[in-house]
Amino acid sequence: MSKITIEGGRRLSGELAIHGAKNAVLPILAGTLLTGRSVIHNCPALSDVTAACNILTYLGCAAHREGGSIVIESDALTCCDIPDGLMREMRSSVVFLGAVIARCGSARVSLPGGCELGPRPIDLHLSSLRKLGVEILEDHGYLNCSVPEQLRGASISLPFPSVGATENIILAACMAKGDTVISNAAREPEIEDLASFLKTAGADIHIKENGTIYISGVEKLHPVEYSVIPDRIEAATYLCCAAITGGEIRLRDVIPEHLTSVYPVLEEAGCTVQTDQSSIRLTSLERPRPIRMVRTMPYPGFPTDAQSPLMALSSIASGTSVYVENIFESRYKHAGELARMGARIKVEGRVAVVEGVDKLHGATVVCTDLRGGASLCTAALAAQGVSEITHIHHIERGYQDFEKNLSSLGAVVKRI
Ligand code: UD1
């Protein structure tokens, strides 16, 4: 099993280009089931993207990579079920449900279980699909979905702006009969990207400022060529990596406004952030300052995915920072591993109190989940001595060329 070693204490400095967004490309790949032929540019090379392509291939599509692009031919599907093994490869495979139902009028997929972040219910996905006319029966861990008549537009109000549920509704509704209105929909940039991919293919979707989404079903979508937005979480992670070493970094190929909620927090930690149209420049203090309170929220609030790398930064701050996690139940598993490096973090339910220490020290630590793994690497960059980070398959789900990028900024990092 591979692992990463990082010798801490090097000040990072330099420039990086950010890849396409994992969380945008996955629902878009599901959406290619509806368009015939798609060419998707700016696709990051990640294990989750490979898992999505494996699902497309299993369903009968031809999917192949050409550099940073993936070409998908989805004219001839051979089945509408996704077996348990493929569903488990990637938690977010549930986003294929809406697309398969829209394409085939039925679907059989295994129920996604819990994951590293705690239980991951899909009740909002299922109740919304039922409103669109889908009959869903649970059978020995599988969901059997069928559409007795035709998918029909509906008015759906989400009690929580779930990203995955919003994506499933959009995918199922864009070819339904009639109009769909989603109130309290998720407003993450990845939702807008899915909508603009589908609109390029001929869908009729309008997103209002207040988060309401209007969809008028169309009969057919057409082949499409589309480029995925940059990954705001990859960008936030590298900002934290540079900041924890007292370094400076310029990130290219980003949409700076997608990280608006992250800048004030980094500035409170003592960083200076400057943006222009497509880049972010960060310079940082030798030692970060504490952050009074970080509350994770649905977009445009502070992203839960950036909480873990930021916590590494707070672990060496000159005071105490408080975190409140409002999205996932178990999103502090990295805290125990950070403690092995000398961090002082007390977790009580949704709250974590991080008392900054003068120095972290290198240790052997285990990635607990994707962003937790990024947090450990961030901490290791500032720790005295060598850290060994294991279970890095989590990191490979979300960061392309992670070690290469860190090395190019001056980190001493090796994959073994
Ligand atoms: C997506 C992102 C993930 C990010 C999260 C929140 C992808 C592939 N993943 O995950 O990186 O951290 O948004 O920004 O895009 N919930 C329910 N019932 C449901 C659906 C969700 O209770 O039917 C709960 C979840 O358990 C969780 C919360 O709502 O506590 C947020 O989930 P959701 O917004 O759906 O996130 P994901 O789409 O799973």
Side-chain angles (χ1 to χ4, degrees):
M1 201 189 286
S2 313
K3 54 191 172 188
I4 292 176
T5 62
I6 296 179
E7 191 183 319
R10 311 294 161 116
R11 182 175 175 273
L12 298 196
S13 131
E15 190 170 307
L16 283 184
I18 291 301
H19 298 99
K22 168 181 91 70
N23 288 353
V25 74
L26 299 177
I28 287 175
L29 287 173
T32 65
L33 286 173
L34 310 179
T35 59
R37 184 175 197 274
S38 305
V39 183
I40 311 297
H41 302 297
N42 205 25
C43 288
L46 302 169
S47 55
D48 268 11
V49 175
T50 306
C53 289
N54 289 343
I55 292 178
L56 288 170
T57 310
Y58 178 86
L59 292 170
C61 302
H64 71 275
R65 190 176 263 282
E66 289 177 6
S69 307
I70 298 180
V71 182
I72 301 106
E73 309 268 358
S74 66
D75 276 331
L77 286 205
T78 48
C79 63
C80 54
D81 70 289
I82 306 177
D84 190 50
L86 286 177
M87 284 298 282
R88 279 180 196 272
E89 260 184 52
M90 174 180 68
R91 163 61 179 60
S92 38
S93 48
V94 71
V95 80
F96 274 83
L97 190 56
V100 175
I101 293 171
R103 173 68 195 268
C104 307
S106 65
R108 181 175 154 82
V109 302
S110 77
L111 269 167
C115 77
E116 312 83 37
L117 310 181
R120 299 283 289 258
I122 55 164
D123 52 313
L124 303 176
H125 301 240
L126 301 187
S127 58
S128 306
L129 290 171
R130 285 189 172 110
K131 285 205 167 153
L132 295 169
V134 184
E135 247 179 44
I136 304 172
L137 296 173
E138 284 187 34
D139 164 30
H140 294 90
Y142 271 81
L143 293 171
N144 285 323
C145 307
S146 59
V147 184
E149 290 164 27
Q150 192 181 359
L151 284 174
R152 49 171 196 272
S155 191
I156 299 169
S157 180
L158 290 173
F160 178 87
S162 156
V163 172
T166 304
E167 290 164 348
N168 255 329
I169 301 169
I170 294 175
L171 286 163
C174 66
M175 288 169 73
K177 189 173 169 51
D179 298 339
T180 296
V181 180
I182 317 171
S183 317
N184 197 29
R187 294 158 71 180
E188 271 66 5
E190 293 77 19
I191 300 283
E192 206 179 309
D193 208 34
L194 172 64
S196 67
F197 159 75
L198 292 168
K199 277 160 78 171
T200 312
D204 185 350
I205 304 172
H206 293 278
I207 304 184
K208 297 277 177 218
E209 290 270 307
N210 64 0
T212 305
I213 301 180
Y214 295 87
I215 305 166
S216 290
V218 295
E219 296 232 324
K220 220 173 151 0
L221 298 182
H222 53 71
V224 58
E225 191 162 342
Y226 190 77
S227 190
V228 173
I229 54 167
D231 196 316
R232 62 197 167 100
I233 305 302
E234 187 193 24
T237 303
Y238 287 121
L239 292 176
C240 292
C241 287
I244 201 169
T245 67
E248 58 183 305
I249 192 170
R250 179 169 175 266
L251 300 177
R252 278 186 283 117
D253 304 341
V254 285
I255 301 178
E257 70 185 63
H258 288 169
L259 287 129
T260 307
S261 62
V262 175
Y263 307 139
V265 175
L266 288 169
E267 281 162 358
E268 196 178 337
C271 304
T272 305
V273 182
Q274 289 166 309
T275 60
D276 63 22
Q277 230 179 353
S278 61
S279 76
I280 307 170
R281 179 184 289 279
L282 172 137
T283 51
S284 54
L285 297 177
E286 207 168 301
R287 183 172 188 192
R289 295 194 186 120
I291 305 165
R292 263 163 307 156
M293 180 82 82
V294 180
R295 285 193 178 88
T296 65
M297 293 288 194
Y299 190 85
F302 187 87
T304 173
D305 288 355
Q307 173 258 104
S308 336
L310 186 73
M311 187 176 284
L313 182 66
S314 298
S315 71
I316 56 159
S318 53
T320 299
S321 309
V322 176
Y323 285 71
V324 183
E325 170 59 50
N326 290 309
I327 309 295
F328 288 106
E329 265 181 42
S330 298
R331 202 151 204 185
Y332 290 135
K333 289 197 176 143
H334 52 281
E337 297 299 307
L338 288 174
R340 289 174 184 269
M341 301 168 102
R344 274 194 220 131
I345 304 173
K346 276 195 198 119
V347 174
E348 185 74 46
R350 291 189 176 275
V351 178
V353 178
V354 185
E355 198 186 322
V357 295
D358 288 342
K359 282 270 174 256
L360 295 174
H361 50 77
T364 297
V365 286
V366 179
C367 295
T368 51
D369 59 87
L370 165 59
R371 307 301 171 188
S375 173
L376 301 180
C377 293
T378 307
L381 290 168
Q384 274 180 337
V386 177
S387 296
E388 203 172 280
I389 298 124
T390 67
H391 289 60
I392 59 168
H393 57 277
H394 288 294
I395 293 177
E396 287 159 359
R397 288 186 42 227
Y399 296 93
Q400 181 178 335
D401 301 330
F402 194 51
E403 316 89 76
K404 206 172 110 195
N405 279 342
L406 291 176
S407 297
S408 77
L409 297 171
V412 180
V413 46
K414 271 193 224 136
R415 171 191 285 254
I416 302 172

